[in-house]
Amino acid sequence: MPTRKARKSGQPSPTRAPAELEAECAIQIRRIGDKLNFRQKLLNLIAKLFRSGT
């Protein structure tokens, strides 16, 4: 049984300044937080609509 060869990546990505990486990471974390916040608000609205009571 032949062994698999490790995949070689294409061209390495160009190096970025640390501040640029931090800014991109912060933007991505913000987007994730916004999505989670929207989901929570939507779930709360659905729960409120279907909740029996007053």
Side-chain angles (χ1 to χ4, degrees):
M1 182 181 219
T3 59
R4 290 186 175 182
K5 294 181 180 178
R7 289 186 181 182
K8 293 182 181 178
S9 61
Q11 297 175 345
S13 60
T15 57
R16 296 182 180 181
E20 189 177 330
L21 289 175
E22 289 175 2
E24 185 177 335
C25 184
I27 290 169
Q28 289 178 358
I29 290 172
R30 176 67 185 259
R31 286 181 184 154
I32 291 169
D34 288 345
K35 286 179 184 178
L36 290 175
N37 187 34
F38 175 73
R39 284 184 184 175
Q40 189 62 48
K41 285 185 177 185
L42 187 62
L43 286 173
N44 288 344
L45 176 65
I46 292 170
K48 186 180 275 189
L49 291 173
F50 288 103
R51 188 179 302 144
S52 62
T54 58

